[in-house]
Amino acid sequence: MLARKTARGLWQAAAILGLVVPMFASCGGDDGGSTASNAGTGGGGTGGTGGSSGDASVNLDSGACPTGNACGDAGVCAGGVCCEKENACGDACCSGSEVCSFQKCVTPGKTCTESSDCASGEYCELALGDKGDSGTAPDAASCTTGFIVAEGKCLPEPPVCAGAEPGPNCLPKCERPPSTAAFDPEVTYTWGGVTSPPYSSDVMMTPIVVQLDDDNCDGKITALDIPEIVFTTFAGGAYTGQGTLHAISIVNQQVVDKWNVPGVLNAGSDLAGGNFDGNPGNEVVGCSNGTVTAFDGKGSKLWTSPTIGCRSPALADLEGDGTVEVVVEGGILNGKDGTLKHAFAVGLSTPSVSDLDGDGKLDITDGRRAYRADGTLLADTGLASAWSAVGDLDLDGKPEIIGINPASGARSMHIWRVTTAAPGFELVRPAFDIHETATSNPCGHASGGGPPTIADFNGDGTPDVALAGSIAYVIFDGKKLMTPTTPTASTLLWQSVTQDCSSAATGSSVFDFNGDGKAEAVYSDEIYLRVYDGATGNELWKTCNTTGTLIEYPVIADVDNDGQADIVVASNAYAFNCGGTKQSGIRVIQSKSKAWVRTRRVWNQHTYHITNVEEDGSIPTKEVANWTVPGLNNFRQNKQPGSELAAADAVVTVRAHCGGTFGVIVEVRNLGSAPLPTGVQVEIFAGTPPGGTSLATAATTIPLYAAQAELISIDLPTAPADVQSGATPVYAVVTPAAGVIECRTDNNTSDPVSAVCGQPR
């Protein structure tokens, strides 16, 4: 029989590995919910406040008391004094409220419940909390795990070792090599599937991924919660009318409907999600007959704007003043209440937001014009453009703007940048036909060209430009585009024939699925969803995915918190079929072999770029230009800042349950930097590893992110008498779910300890 209660905490990782002299007492009167560790074993105990200063009653110098030597009454020499053993920290003796962390005496910071409460470079160590298990999370209908929240203190993150092995004052990087497995996508989750009239689950807009509710019951909405997939459906082919707004989520490997709102938003328009009203939690904003309507995370209407013109909203703190604006085609709205802040003299097409002139404030462009944060005109090229992307194609630290004109007779792309000299812009490459090198035209179109993406497709270190039109999916070499003497036909990296005879303007997205430094392109035309090798254009995979096409595109995000990227794609059945089949709704595609690298748990708007939104949905007050961050010189590409090759590392410790029914407290921690999905198996054995008799099993109930832990209380009322007397020790073994990649597996077994409270470990 298992009695379960759980608590979250972050790690004093070196203590688990026996590398740190921790400052915590041994087993207390109850399990306390803390995650404290003891040297050598890493077992938990009650939280402490740090030891007293060392006993220096005998005036010793470093020569008389060499570091590490025994001294006094069970003391140890540290820093030239006879120090209480629990206060010794390398060659120092911690004093007052200091604790020893990776061979340094540090003073704990502010109270926290998770690392997002701490400053950059810190984590939340629950072992230092005073609250223990006593504080329960607020009741919330969306909670899925119901664990008890404990408090801790902020500590500095551990230093990273230069080598592969842990040291006394650092931990190694936890990474896996780039995947060499075959590209093996499979449709894992589906929503909708109504492929006969009235096709009521049809979707023909770009879904967004954003955190909307408190899944883990810690009373907050953070990046640790499971994100929602938000989209709008229509029926009977009426994509220009009002549809139904939906929020769904993947919880415990099941698709869960969170809420829906019918009859408010235009079904073919796009959405944006994030925290734009200044209150805790995230919101969703969409378009409804020229006005803008905002909803809170539960689907309740917050506000409706004046009629201004709206198709694809974007979120940004334009002025860097801590208030977020909603930018639409007609102007700029206050995110808090939807009131009009600035109207554009001439409306934009789909707005993109970036700092185009380097003045520290964000600007807005559609590929033809650029407006300042105050709504005044910054530049007008006079070149028609429906959509845009922004990146630094020549790596000079200044952004270029890619404009796309899909109009009949044009189907063109042009590149320009903002300048301080009149007329306020410089044309880098004049408009050219994106299908100049096409050898056929199955649709007979003279128009076409969808929202562009920017990414390094061929791995040469410079970004390239990709988009789809009526004839083919095309990628242009960014380095050649920025060389004026290179003919436009010679800038083509590759093209692949597709079918989009309706809008001829469908978008696409980008991701480096295997982590080899070269991006793959993900594109869905009227019939197929395809993934292309970015360097060669080879078709890595395709599957039927029918859509009448507007400007929608698949998005890439980790939607189920398993530490790997997923593809989220919309489809509709009212117009086309694929080999006699139709698709309708939302589908989530994953790697069958779990070989894809990790990515962010957010894709919050059509003009998505990484530095525009935090992973928890908050909008940065001072947005860093994407192109200035190593590895993020891209647009409509998702990427995990830091190492996408990060791996998980499950470790386990066990200690006596010092209160209530006889049993143990098991602590499962993730020492890696990629998440451990829910369902890490824990087995308790009597004896010493690798032998012993199995006593009980359990499993983790929440995803464990980098530096996160879960405590599991396991009752052992029927354990053999020699276990209950302490004569035979117990130990624990953890086994992550199938397909989870760990950077090391030699630390999945705990040290054996006595299950009797108060006995030596």
Side-chain angles (χ1 to χ4, degrees):
M1 175 181 177
L2 300 181
R4 300 178 52 81
K5 71 177 174 182
T6 60
R8 277 172 61 240
L10 300 181
W11 52 301
Q12 181 71 323
I16 294 174
L17 298 174
L19 303 175
V20 168
V21 179
M23 310 296 290
F24 315 129
S26 59
C27 190
D30 58 21
D31 57 67
S34 71
T35 57
S37 304
N38 287 307
T41 69
T46 58
T49 59
S52 60
S53 60
D55 179 7
S57 57
V58 179
N59 187 13
L60 300 172
D61 58 32
S62 58
C65 193
T67 296
N69 281 14
C71 64
D73 185 10
V76 64
C77 293
V81 301
C82 189
C83 187
E84 293 180 8
K85 188 174 292 185
E86 64 268 26
N87 291 359
C89 187
D91 59 0
C93 183
C94 298
S95 61
S97 60
E98 291 180 325
V99 297
C100 184
S101 175
F102 295 90
Q103 300 297 287
K104 284 188 177 182
C105 295
V106 298
T107 300
K110 68 178 183 180
T111 300
C112 56
T113 59
E114 60 186 37
S115 289
S116 62
D117 297 329
C118 301
S120 177
E122 294 182 334
Y123 74 97
C124 184
E125 176 51 71
L126 295 188
L128 302 177
D130 299 322
K131 182 173 164 183
D133 280 352
S134 61
T136 58
D139 184 31
S142 62
C143 292
T144 58
T145 61
F147 57 74
I148 298 171
V149 179
E151 288 184 344
K153 297 286 185 180
C154 296
L155 287 181
E157 290 178 351
V160 177
C161 299
E165 293 301 319
N169 55 4
C170 63
L171 288 175
K173 270 186 180 179
C174 184
E175 289 189 330
R176 56 170 175 157
S179 173
T180 57
F183 193 71
D184 60 348
E186 65 176 355
V187 178
T188 309
Y189 302 107
T190 62
W191 179 95
V194 183
T195 57
S196 57
Y199 311 112
S200 56
S201 63
D202 277 2
V203 184
M204 200 157 65
M205 48 77 65
T206 303
I208 63 171
V209 178
V210 67
Q211 311 277 1
L212 292 182
D213 56 25
D214 176 21
D215 298 287
N216 61 14
C217 305
D218 65 354
K220 296 178 289 187
I221 296 172
T222 70
L224 302 182
D225 293 305
I226 302 169
E228 275 62 53
I229 304 169
V230 191
F231 54 93
T232 309
T233 60
F234 60 95
Y239 61 86
T240 61
Q242 291 180 324
T244 300
L245 178 66
H246 296 265
I248 65 173
S249 192
I250 311 298
V251 181
N252 296 327
Q253 299 182 321
Q254 298 292 323
V255 178
V256 177
D257 283 283
K258 291 298 183 74
W259 49 260
N260 65 80
V261 181
V264 178
L265 298 184
N266 294 342
S269 295
D270 290 305
L271 303 169
N275 188 344
F276 54 81
D277 71 349
N279 297 318
N282 297 320
E283 299 80 46
V284 175
V285 64
C287 305
S288 49
N289 298 329
T291 66
V292 186
T293 302
F295 303 84
D296 67 15
K298 297 179 181 179
S300 299
K301 189 185 294 187
L302 290 176
W303 51 255
T304 299
S305 77
T307 301
I308 188 175
C310 177
R311 171 66 175 79
S312 294
L315 304 177
D317 185 345
L318 295 175
E319 297 165 326
D321 60 0
T323 61
V324 178
E325 285 77 34
V326 178
V327 183
V328 293
E329 285 75 358
I332 303 169
L333 304 171
N334 287 301
K336 185 172 186 61
D337 56 15
T339 54
L340 179 62
K341 192 169 184 179
H342 305 292
F344 298 136
V346 179
L348 294 173
S349 296
T350 304
S352 300
V353 178
S354 293
D355 182 2
L356 303 176
D357 59 1
D359 68 350
K361 294 184 179 181
L362 298 177
D363 309 298
I364 305 140
T365 185
D366 62 355
R368 168 178 172 165
R369 298 180 182 86
Y371 285 101
R372 299 182 181 88
D374 62 3
T376 60
L377 185 66
L378 177 62
D380 186 350
T381 66
L383 298 171
S385 177
W387 8 89
S388 62
V390 182
D392 181 7
L393 299 185
D394 58 0
L395 307 182
D396 67 350
K398 300 176 182 178
E400 281 73 46
I401 302 163
I402 291 89
I404 306 297
N405 181 7
S408 181
R411 64 180 196 188
S412 64
M413 177 168 73
H414 58 271
I415 303 172
W416 61 285
R417 62 170 71 97
V418 171
T419 64
T420 56
F425 70 92
E426 174 190 359
L427 190 60
V428 177
R429 182 167 287 271
F432 65 92
D433 185 353
I434 63 170
H435 292 316
E436 180 178 340
T437 58
T439 57
S440 65
N441 189 349
C443 298
H445 278 338
S447 61
T453 67
I454 296 176
D456 183 1
F457 288 97
N458 56 5
D460 67 353
T462 59
D464 310 300
V465 181
L467 73 157
S470 59
I471 297 174
Y473 190 83
V474 292
I475 295 185
F476 297 95
D477 187 298
K479 188 178 295 184
K480 293 179 179 179
L481 285 173
M482 296 302 292
T483 306
T485 56
T486 303
T488 55
S490 299
T491 66
L492 183 71
L493 188 61
W494 57 261
Q495 61 183 322
S496 180
V497 174
T498 57
Q499 178 183 317
D500 189 2
C501 297
S502 43
S503 76
T506 316
S508 62
S509 56
V510 186
F511 191 71
D512 179 8
F513 288 95
N514 62 354
D516 65 354
K518 300 176 183 179
E520 285 80 50
V522 186
Y523 171 64
S524 181
D525 64 13
E526 293 169 341
I527 306 298
Y528 291 108
L529 169 69
R530 294 180 172 90
V531 180
Y532 297 104
D533 177 83
T536 65
N538 291 336
E539 191 177 274
L540 299 176
W541 182 73
K542 74 176 182 181
T543 190
C544 287
N545 194 74
T546 54
T547 174
T549 75
L550 289 169
I551 62 169
E552 79 275 15
Y553 62 87
V555 303
I556 317 296
D558 181 0
V559 298
D560 60 351
N561 286 5
D562 69 348
Q564 296 196 345
D566 309 307
I567 302 172
V568 182
V569 65
S571 57
N572 47 84
Y574 80 96
F576 293 97
N577 72 79
C578 175
T581 68
K582 296 182 177 184
Q583 290 74 45
S584 176
I586 295 291
R587 298 194 291 166
V588 176
I589 295 155
Q590 302 180 319
S591 166
K592 189 181 303 183
S593 61
K594 303 295 184 183
W596 293 352
V597 302
R598 68 180 185 138
T599 194
R600 305 175 87 207
R601 289 153 282 183
V602 65
W603 190 298
N604 75 317
Q605 60 193 34
H606 198 283
T607 54
Y608 175 78
H609 52 285
I610 291 166
T611 57
N612 177 248
V613 63
E614 303 293 349
E615 198 165 357
D616 64 359
S618 58
I619 306 300
T621 297
K622 297 288 186 181
E623 179 180 322
V624 178
N626 239 34
W627 55 88
T628 66
V629 181
L632 302 189
N633 189 3
N634 50 47
F635 203 89
R636 295 188 176 96
Q637 175 178 359
N638 218 352
K639 187 175 175 67
Q640 181 67 48
S643 176
E644 291 171 307
L645 298 175
D649 184 17
V651 299
V652 62
T653 62
V654 62
R655 61 182 169 89
H657 183 178
C658 298
T661 306
F662 180 80
V664 293
I665 303 294
V666 174
E667 178 182 276
V668 181
R669 289 188 182 268
N670 180 10
L671 298 189
S673 29
L676 270 171
T678 299
V680 176
Q681 297 297 306
V682 181
E683 189 165 10
I684 304 299
F685 292 89
T688 57
T693 303
S694 178
L695 299 178
T697 59
T700 59
T701 61
I702 57 174
L704 299 179
Y705 297 96
Q708 189 175 347
E710 181 175 3
L711 296 182
I712 305 174
S713 175
I714 303 178
D715 289 347
L716 301 172
T718 61
D722 57 337
V723 172
Q724 298 202 35
S725 70
T728 298
V730 297
Y731 69 93
V733 176
V734 288
T735 306
V740 174
I741 298 174
E742 291 189 87
C743 60
R744 54 185 299 187
T745 57
D746 59 348
N747 56 0
N748 289 7
T749 300
S750 77
D751 289 334
V753 300
S754 170
V756 178
C757 187
Q759 283 196 359
R761 302 185 180 201

